[in-house]
Amino acid sequence: MSLLDVENLRVTFPTRRGEFEAVRGVSFSLGQERLGIVGESGSGKSMTGRAILRLIRPPGRVEADRMELEGRDLLSMSERDMQRVRGQQISMVMQDPKFSLNPVMRIGAQIIEIYRFHTGASKRAARAKAIEMLEAVSIRDPERVMRAYPHEMSGGMGQRIMIAMMLVTEPKILIADEPTSALDVSVQTQVLQIMDKLVRERGMGLIFISHDLNLVAQFCDRVLIMYAGKIVETCAADKLHEATHPYTRGLLNSLPRLDAPRERLEVLVRDEAWLGETSVSGRQ
Amino acid sequence: MSRLEFEGLNVWFGDGPDRVDAVKGATFEVPSGASFGLVGESGSGKSTILRALVGLARHWSGRMAVAEAPVTGFKRSKAFYKDVQMVFQDPYASLHPRQTVDAVLAETLKLHGIGDVENRIEQLLLDVGLGPKFRFRYPHQLSGGQRQRVAIARALAPEPSVILLDEPTSALDVSVQAEVLNLLVDLRKAHQLTYLMVSHDLAVVGHMCERIAVMQAGEIVEIMSVEDMREMKAAHPYTRQLLQASLGYVGEEMHGGA
């Protein structure tokens, strides 16, 4: 059975000019795999991630025919139960650690707080667990990092700390929203390897939201390509370069490439007809 | 003739025990009409070189010259800014939120004593691929790509010969990036501009530049031609590592050879 099953997900925001649909009828499932969601800004990929955790604030609305975590309906859950799901069953890593960590709390205290909230463990056990988690994300000096404040950390360290914090409760699903786009390439590889290992060793399901097509093609197992709130195409990640939808092709061709120099880059021409297409299902 | 020269450039921030050497002994030159790229990771000092040239970093030693005229201190003449312009990374932060496109461009033109403002603004907007209908818009009414076009128009306004590009497309979507990069290529041809471009993206620099300097921890470790870079002919191990990483993610199983 899949970990997550989503059918006909819609996210709507009322505006002065009527309703704006950020996500329009998206369906997909997630197993113990690395599922990539790619698209440009405004394509609804981040909104999809947030909607799963019901993090869309009113007056925004989340609707779906089905949104189930291992058979449990997420939409009808009380806010109290949802609190238990967030962080414990499904975690989320955001793009920028600067805005996701509490700036006036020591890092150790933040990780311990999360762990104790979800497990009720003793302080001592939580502390041991926090250190173990920091080591797992290749932080060399976890004792020192535990005592440090977020501003004392570099971007790469901050992002690894975020991942440690999100994984300390051993969630079944990790939603990573552009987790590496603020990082340098060398650190990026390290962060990806950590997530990769968790999927392989612990059977976690990973939703990897990114605008970077090459990265997703190489890192993920399966890819959903989103445009204007819909899935326009889905394919195996290693077949992404053979994608057929003109939008996906346009995105791929607009990338400059070291191995294939061109005088001019191809410019994506958007077709009105894409807006009328129905969303492709990413359920398996 | 070389348009830009850097010789033994050192730039530092703070002093005493807090001193950080951001750039150490950078030496390179950019011929007239060429496009030169600086690549490296964050903190490698690549943007600091641009900032030192335009006077935004106060403490430096060594030699910097524009068209064989050396610059001194951190104050630059009006003539310098007319000749050397800069486009910044974040088009959301580099335009005044309460000024229309028209006001931004008119001010720049006035500052540099260029008359015929009406026609110049229209021409500038056409040059960067924005129609006249964008003239009286505020930045919040523009998309990221359109804002960057306005920033480029502003840089073009005093008719400079050198444009410094500090990660001009890293805040943009790939399809928009392609449009902006094409525009920059066209403008360079049309106005015989010299580019000095900073980016962390090797593919972008490879597309835009003929020569590329690779920086690590404040030092230039290698200067190479774009052809050598495409053929992965890097002499320095750090450059090889960057090139490798730019090809994408390599999982652990591949390292282990399983």
Side-chain angles (χ1 to χ4, degrees), chain A residues 101-102 105-113 130 134 144-153 158 161 165:
Chain A
L101 294 168
N102 185 339
M105 213 171 144
R106 289 181 200 275
I107 285 161
Q110 298 188 47
I111 304 181
I112 289 170
E113 181 186 44
L134 287 174
R144 183 181 65 85
V145 170
M146 291 280 284
R147 284 193 307 273
Y149 286 98
H151 73 268
E152 298 172 68
M153 300 289 117
I161 290 163
M165 192 178 293

Side-chain angles (χ1 to χ4, degrees), chain B residues 131-150:
Chain B
K133 64 175 180 187
F134 288 95
R135 183 164 171 183
F136 294 101
R137 291 210 191 165
Y138 286 96
H140 73 264
Q141 296 168 308
L142 303 172
S143 69
Q146 289 163 350
R147 287 180 204 216
Q148 202 58 309
R149 285 173 193 268
V150 173

Side-chain angles (χ1 to χ4, degrees), chain B residues 10-42:
Chain B
N10 299 303
V11 186
W12 64 93
F13 301 106
D15 40 24
D18 293 332
R19 176 171 158 144
V20 177
D21 291 287
V23 180
K24 293 176 250 180
T27 300
F28 63 95
E29 51 185 272
V30 187
S32 266
S35 174
F36 190 94
L38 291 168
V39 293
E41 307 206 321
S42 44

Side-chain angles (χ1 to χ4, degrees), chain A residues 40-41 184-186 192-193 196 200 218-219 251 254-256 258 261-268 270, chain B residues 41-42 173-175 177-179 181-182 186 189 203 207 229-230 242-243 245 247-250 253 255:
Chain A
E40 299 188 277
S41 39
D184 285 324
V185 276
S186 53
L192 292 175
Q193 280 171 354
D196 197 6
R200 279 186 292 123
Q218 274 144 354
F219 178 68
L251 279 187
S254 65
L255 287 169
L258 267 186
R262 266 176 302 186
E263 181 78 2
R264 293 182 70 78
L265 296 168
E266 207 166 296
V267 171
L268 179 68
R270 287 157 217 269
Chain B
E41 307 206 321
S42 44
D173 275 322
V174 288
S175 61
Q177 165 172 288
E179 292 170 17
L181 292 181
N182 281 342
D186 294 344
K189 226 181 274 172
H207 177 74
M229 194 167 98
R230 288 210 184 99
L242 272 188
L243 281 169
L247 293 177
Y249 173 74
V250 181
E253 55 272 317
H255 288 308

Side-chain angles (χ1 to χ4, degrees), chain A residues 1-7 28 30 51-54 64-90 118 170-173:
Chain A
M1 193 181 77
S2 57
L3 290 169
L4 187 72
D5 195 356
V6 177
E7 210 179 311
F28 65 92
L30 175 75
I52 294 166
L53 280 171
R54 284 185 26 206
D65 292 350
R66 185 204 304 266
M67 194 160 87
E68 289 176 353
L69 171 70
E70 294 185 307
R72 288 167 67 207
D73 183 20
L74 287 173
L75 278 176
S76 62
M77 227 174 242
S78 70
E79 192 50 35
R80 203 185 151 83
D81 290 339
M82 206 56 215
Q83 286 268 338
R84 294 279 155 192
V85 169
R86 292 185 197 122
Q88 194 169 15
Q89 317 259 357
I90 309 177
H118 288 295
E170 312 208 343
K172 295 182 180 116
I173 296 172

Side-chain angles (χ1 to χ4, degrees), chain A residues 20 48-49 87 90 92-93 127 135 139 143 149 157 171 210:
Chain A
F20 173 73
T48 304
I90 309 177
M92 188 160 184
V93 177
R127 194 183 147 73
E135 278 169 348
I139 282 174
E143 293 280 355
Y149 286 98
M157 289 272 271
S210 175

Side-chain angles (χ1 to χ4, degrees), chain A residues 20-210:
Chain A
F20 173 73
E21 276 192 298
V23 180
R24 308 164 190 241
V26 161
S27 304
F28 65 92
S29 61
L30 175 75
Q32 298 182 343
E33 60 178 336
R34 296 165 296 187
L35 177 69
I37 304 183
V38 289
E40 299 188 277
S41 39
S43 62
K45 56 188 195 306
S46 294
M47 281 299 161
T48 304
R50 304 184 128 240
I52 294 166
L53 280 171
R54 284 185 26 206
L55 287 173
I56 310 285
R57 285 215 187 104
R61 289 197 317 272
V62 180
E63 291 153 325
D65 292 350
R66 185 204 304 266
M67 194 160 87
E68 289 176 353
L69 171 70
E70 294 185 307
R72 288 167 67 207
D73 183 20
L74 287 173
L75 278 176
S76 62
M77 227 174 242
S78 70
E79 192 50 35
R80 203 185 151 83
D81 290 339
M82 206 56 215
Q83 286 268 338
R84 294 279 155 192
V85 169
R86 292 185 197 122
Q88 194 169 15
Q89 317 259 357
I90 309 177
S91 278
M92 188 160 184
V93 177
M94 313 261 190
Q95 178 169 4
D96 198 334
K98 270 196 234 89
F99 302 113
S100 315
L101 294 168
N102 185 339
V104 293
M105 213 171 144
R106 289 181 200 275
I107 285 161
Q110 298 188 47
I111 304 181
I112 289 170
E113 181 186 44
I114 289 189
Y115 189 66
R116 294 191 70 202
F117 176 81
H118 288 295
T119 61
S122 71
K123 260 191 191 150
R124 180 191 292 256
R127 194 183 147 73
K129 183 77 188 171
I131 290 178
E132 183 194 317
M133 229 30 243
L134 287 174
E135 278 169 348
V137 295
S138 334
I139 282 174
R140 257 162 298 177
D141 191 357
E143 293 280 355
R144 183 181 65 85
V145 170
M146 291 280 284
R147 284 193 307 273
Y149 286 98
H151 73 268
E152 298 172 68
M153 300 289 117
S154 67
M157 289 272 271
Q159 197 58 293
R160 278 181 280 169
I161 290 163
M162 269 302 292
I163 291 178
M165 192 178 293
M166 290 302 116
L167 294 175
V168 72
T169 53
E170 312 208 343
K172 295 182 180 116
I173 296 172
L174 178 68
I175 302 171
D177 190 354
E178 304 267 9
T180 60
S181 31
L183 305 180
D184 285 324
V185 276
S186 53
V187 187
Q188 172 176 316
T189 309
Q190 277 180 27
V191 169
L192 292 175
Q193 280 171 354
I194 293 162
M195 290 195 286
D196 197 6
K197 202 168 140 199
L198 289 160
V199 174
R200 279 186 292 123
E201 290 177 2
R202 295 220 326 247
M204 193 179 71
L206 173 69
I207 298 180
F208 189 84
I209 299 169
S210 175

